[in-house]
Amino acid sequence: MPDLLLELFSEEIPARMQRKAADELKSLVTNALVDSGLPYEGAKAFATPRRLALHVAGVPAGSAAKREERKGPRVGAPEKAVEGFLRGAGLASIEDATIRNDPKKGDFYVAVIEKPGRSAIDIIAEFMPGILRGFPWPKSMRWGTTPTRWVRPLHSIVATFGPETEEPDVVPFEFDGIASGQTTRGHRFLADEAFDVRRFDDYATGLEKHKVVLDSDRRKEIILNDAKDRALALGLDLVEDPGLLDEVAGLVEWPVVLTGSFDEAFLEIPDECIQLTIRVNQKCFVLKNPTTGRLANRFVLVSNIQAVDGGKLIVAGNEKVIRARLADARFFWDTDLKSSLSDNLPRLDDVKFHEKLGSVGARVKRLVSLSAELAPIVGADALKARRAAELAKADLVSNMVFEFPELQGLMGRYYATAQGEDASVAIAIEEHYKPQGPSDNVPTDPVAVSVALAEKLDLLAGFWAIDEKPTGSKDPYALRRAALGVIRIVLDNSHRIRLGDAVRSALGLIDVDVADEDALVGDLLSFFGDRLKVHLKDEGARHDLIDAVFALDGQDDLLMVVKRVEALGSFVSSDDGANLLAGYKRAVNILKAEEKKDGVPVTGRPHSDHFQEQAEIDLAAAIDAARAEAAEAVAGENFEGAMEALSKLRAPVDKFFEDILVNAEEPALRMNRLQLLAEIRDATHVVADFSRVAG
């Protein structure tokens, strides 16, 4: 079957836009093909700095003919209805329609519309200009006198279509004056000449001959392998950087890896500062000493040309720029060390955190108090927790963090260590932002844990207090991440924290009037419950079980919630649990129906003197025993024991429904049996709200 080849050749496309643009091109074209009745076998998109390309394999030569019947008005309908039908069906007169009979509705008109198949080339030529005009670039530009908009000036379009065994045809269309063809160009500097292409195979091969590696993944592989080889030759290791690798692969069409060096004196600066300086300013990789683990004074750069001097001039240019940028970094480092973190604290009062939540300085005061309150709960020294919280944000006004905001926290640790702060305090300054994502490490040092929890609880309580909660996909203050951070810190460190109390403490420190504190706390705890579902999803925990536990009062101890959920999951997956759940739901359904019919809820305990059958007596005794045993187990945090206690209800519940007619004719007997059903419901609620459990 024929293949389609497209290439859009332009000036340099920003690296950050290339991959998404290639995916968009693939999606738009393949969707248009399918919508036009041209299914395809496979498609792959490519991007280089100067071109987007798409290869679609197995496209039919044309669309199939279609026969469509369109039902019209009844015979004898008003003239306007008939005219509308003719216009919609494309018929010249009513004589072109056929008449059908419906036994119920009588005779009516039907238009039989024959749509002949169309050539794939014609279809593609028709939809391509619209795709290009509406292409979703994040930013686009105009050039010259034409209204054309593209990410950068567009020079040519390749569009060929045909089977492997025949000479392909050019798909003829224009995009605002640029006609499609089959001519492209090679590398701007190494092989800047035009050449014709027919189909994808000779297109990719032709580009390679003209010093262009089309596939970005292959360019990344070349860069990574050559960089590792260069590092190995120097007795060093490459510090891999996937984000930088993606970016650099989007800056070159013919990657050439070179190495350079800088003055060893710059190694006095923290490694992270060196790496970020070199990465941000020159898009270069750094190397490290495998023995010490510290950076070496060497770097790897990626050029887009093969220089006649072996790249000496290119390396020298990069070394010159890196030397200047590292000199700036050393100046920032030296200047910051001349003052202590404590000296920076007054300046935080001038940094606004949020219009309604005050300055960063005010927030630091809240963190100090909250960290000290949480410290004994997580086994931290309260004085160290206070000190760490006091200094946690001090590096925000340092020269280095002003230049590289990504280093906040980390630079605080370096500065705290340099000025002789306790090691736990220094660690807490860096780690109080953690975890910043699902793959990030969780603080384990008790002082760091207390400050990290305080940081996130203050954030959540503050934005809940001013009603700036996440909505839909919008979460500008990363509150979902903060809640997940609290959950991970608590669970990974097995800490027992009453979240409700912690949230109230955080609220009490915020200078905002809260109309209904109980409602706010409840809403925030519900938010934690939703985040807990997300966190436990990968571990196979069921959402309904989490809901069943959270539905009980006072469930704000995350560690105990998880343990209770685990025990509940094991229980309901057992035969006893599944059968008891079925009996519970049967009891609850009967209660709901009878309460609705009577208009009043069933309350009160059943009277033993109203029992008439042995099944009633046995069930009542089993409920009393199971409830007491389960309550005692829950009080001792033995949730497996609580489930085992409830499992003893299975047999008497089954027997009750086998032998007993709940809706007895005698009103007192009926109510007593309904109260016994309510006892089943209440007994199980010692452990979880079984009405929330699916099944």
Side-chain angles (χ1 to χ4, degrees):
M1 294 180 75
D3 290 357
L4 170 65
L5 171 64
L6 293 171
E7 184 204 63
L8 304 164
F9 181 75
S10 68
E11 294 297 318
E12 273 73 5
I13 305 167
R16 67 183 184 279
M17 298 184 187
Q18 291 172 20
R19 186 174 292 275
K20 185 175 181 182
D23 292 340
E24 291 281 7
L25 180 64
K26 175 183 174 182
S27 175
L28 290 168
V29 172
T30 54
N31 287 345
L33 288 171
V34 172
D35 292 343
S36 302
L38 298 173
Y40 62 95
E41 293 177 358
K44 186 171 182 179
F46 304 88
T48 79
R50 300 189 70 199
R51 68 201 79 221
L52 293 180
L54 175 66
H55 174 228
V56 186
V59 181
S63 62
K66 292 183 179 180
R67 185 177 188 275
E68 177 185 342
E69 291 189 358
R70 186 172 299 178
K71 186 177 180 181
R74 60 179 174 79
V75 175
E79 185 175 347
K80 288 187 176 181
V82 173
E83 290 176 355
F85 166 64
L86 294 177
R87 281 196 305 272
L91 300 182
S93 68
I94 198 64
E95 283 74 22
D96 294 333
T98 60
I99 297 175
R100 301 272 178 87
N101 178 264
D102 186 315
K104 295 182 179 179
K105 298 182 180 180
D107 293 340
F108 60 92
Y109 293 111
V110 173
V112 179
I113 304 170
E114 300 284 352
K115 292 185 177 181
R118 296 179 62 201
S119 161
I121 288 182
D122 291 340
I123 293 172
I124 297 168
E126 183 178 279
F127 67 61
M128 276 306 302
I131 287 176
L132 300 184
R133 277 192 295 272
F135 200 83
W137 291 109
K139 290 184 179 180
S140 59
M141 61 179 290
R142 290 199 302 266
W143 63 95
T145 58
T146 70
T148 302
R149 294 193 70 91
W150 200 245
V151 63
R152 293 293 184 270
L154 185 66
H155 293 311
S156 65
I157 300 172
V158 170
T160 66
F161 183 82
E164 293 183 6
T165 55
E166 301 175 12
E167 187 70 20
D169 296 314
V170 171
V171 180
F173 65 89
E174 280 194 6
F175 175 43
D176 291 331
I178 302 173
S180 59
Q182 59 185 115
T183 302
T184 187
R185 302 188 75 87
H187 192 284
R188 181 189 290 276
F189 304 111
L190 301 177
D192 188 22
E193 61 221 30
F195 63 97
D196 289 345
V197 298
R198 296 177 300 165
R199 55 181 58 86
F200 179 74
D201 288 343
D202 71 280
Y203 168 71
T205 303
L207 286 177
E208 196 89 14
K209 291 178 180 178
H210 288 80
K211 304 299 184 183
V212 175
V213 178
L214 180 62
D215 191 337
S216 63
D217 288 335
R218 184 161 166 257
R219 294 198 300 276
K220 287 167 59 177
E221 184 180 347
I222 292 170
I223 294 168
L224 185 60
N225 289 337
D226 286 358
K228 287 182 176 180
D229 289 344
R230 290 271 186 168
L232 184 62
L234 296 170
L236 302 172
D237 288 341
L238 176 71
V239 178
E240 296 190 32
D241 187 334
L244 180 59
L245 183 61
D246 280 336
E247 185 176 7
V248 172
L251 297 174
V252 297
E253 288 194 318
W254 190 256
V256 177
V257 175
L258 304 168
T259 57
S261 63
F262 55 86
D263 192 333
E264 284 190 6
F266 289 123
L267 295 177
E268 297 173 2
I269 307 170
D271 285 358
E272 295 84 356
C273 301
I274 296 173
Q275 182 177 5
L276 198 55
T277 298
I278 292 176
R279 181 193 200 279
V280 170
N281 290 287
Q282 288 303 105
K283 314 300 181 191
C284 296
F285 299 87
V286 293
L287 304 177
K288 67 179 180 180
N289 186 318
T291 303
T292 65
R294 292 290 309 277
L295 291 188
N297 65 321
R298 306 300 294 264
F299 63 89
V300 169
L301 65 98
V302 182
S303 171
N304 193 33
I305 61 172
Q306 286 178 320
V308 293
D309 65 351
K312 292 180 180 178
L313 193 60
I314 296 171
V315 170
N318 277 268
E319 288 178 341
K320 181 179 179 180
V321 176
I322 286 175
R323 183 166 57 251
R325 298 288 76 81
L326 287 178
D328 291 341
R330 183 164 61 183
F331 172 78
F332 297 146
W333 170 249
D334 291 341
T335 303
D336 288 338
L337 286 177
K338 291 177 182 178
S339 59
S340 68
L341 289 175
S342 297
D343 294 336
N344 292 346
L345 296 180
R347 296 167 59 191
L348 296 178
D349 294 331
D350 299 325
V351 180
K352 182 179 288 187
F353 172 62
H354 188 278
E355 184 179 5
K356 297 179 181 179
L357 295 173
S359 67
V360 174
R363 186 167 190 241
V364 166
K365 293 180 177 65
R366 298 198 298 269
L367 295 182
V368 169
S369 297
L370 191 55
S371 297
E373 184 174 336
L374 292 170
I377 301 175
V378 299
D381 182 287
L383 291 177
K384 292 180 181 179
R386 292 180 67 89
R387 181 61 174 168
E390 182 183 28
L391 301 180
K393 306 296 182 182
D395 66 342
L396 295 180
V397 291
S398 67
N399 291 285
M400 191 71 80
V401 173
F402 183 83
E403 182 72 13
F404 299 117
E406 306 96 316
L407 296 178
Q408 63 182 357
L410 175 66
M411 294 313 301
R413 175 171 68 83
Y414 278 121
Y415 297 142
T417 301
Q419 70 185 38
E421 295 289 344
D422 184 88
S424 293
V425 171
I427 291 170
I429 293 173
E430 178 187 6
E431 296 189 349
H432 82 282
Y433 292 107
K434 294 178 176 289
Q436 293 188 312
S439 60
D440 197 11
N441 293 329
V442 169
T444 56
D445 181 273
V447 175
V449 167
S450 65
V451 183
L453 287 174
E455 206 274 339
K456 292 161 184 60
L457 290 170
D458 175 80
L459 189 74
L460 289 160
F463 283 104
W464 245 255
I466 62 174
D467 198 26
E468 290 278 358
K469 297 176 283 189
T471 56
S473 61
K474 296 181 180 179
D475 187 10
Y477 305 111
L479 301 180
R480 293 187 179 97
R481 186 177 70 188
L484 276 172
V486 171
I487 290 168
R488 287 188 60 199
I489 291 171
V490 169
L491 297 184
D492 287 10
N493 290 287
S494 299
H495 285 311
R496 302 289 306 278
I497 296 176
R498 306 298 304 196
L499 276 184
D501 294 341
V503 169
R504 291 181 191 277
S505 295
L507 281 173
L509 298 170
I510 298 170
D511 188 19
V512 174
D513 291 330
V514 177
D516 189 341
E517 183 177 298
D518 290 340
L520 187 152
V521 173
D523 186 48
L524 186 47
L525 289 179
S526 177
F527 182 73
F528 273 110
D530 291 337
R531 294 301 94 199
L532 183 62
K533 294 176 189 177
V534 174
H535 177 68
L536 296 179
K537 181 179 180 181
D538 293 337
E539 299 178 16
R542 289 166 40 181
H543 287 187
D544 58 322
L545 303 185
I546 299 172
D547 287 336
V549 172
F550 262 108
L552 303 181
D553 292 335
Q555 297 306 308
D556 61 349
D557 183 337
L558 294 178
L559 191 62
M560 291 301 101
V561 167
V562 171
K563 289 185 176 181
R564 195 181 291 231
V565 168
E566 291 171 350
L568 181 59
S570 298
F571 178 60
V572 297
S573 62
S574 68
D575 289 341
D576 285 343
N579 286 330
L580 179 60
L581 179 62
Y584 168 89
K585 290 188 177 295
R586 183 175 178 183
V588 169
N589 288 336
I590 293 173
L591 284 170
K592 285 181 179 178
E594 297 307 307
E595 287 173 341
K596 182 177 180 181
K597 183 168 63 177
D598 296 345
V600 293
V602 175
T603 59
R605 299 202 62 185
H607 297 282
S608 58
D609 54 354
H610 288 176
F611 294 152
Q612 295 186 355
E613 304 288 342
Q614 188 62 41
E616 296 175 278
I617 298 170
D618 293 343
L619 178 58
I623 290 173
D624 288 340
R627 177 162 44 201
E629 187 178 345
E632 182 179 354
V634 168
E637 298 176 354
N638 178 13
F639 301 114
E640 291 80 5
M643 299 301 169
E644 184 180 348
L646 291 183
S647 69
K648 298 174 183 177
L649 289 175
R650 172 189 172 178
V653 167
D654 290 346
K655 185 65 174 175
F656 177 84
F657 283 120
E658 288 175 8
D659 295 355
I660 303 300
L661 175 65
V662 175
N663 288 316
E665 293 183 3
E666 184 182 342
L669 182 58
R670 170 180 169 273
M671 178 53 65
N672 204 61
R673 289 174 175 173
L674 290 175
Q675 289 170 333
L676 193 54
L677 295 185
E679 290 281 283
I680 298 175
R681 177 181 60 191
D682 296 343
T684 56
H685 284 192
V686 171
V687 176
D689 184 350
F690 275 55
S691 67
R692 305 291 184 98
V693 181

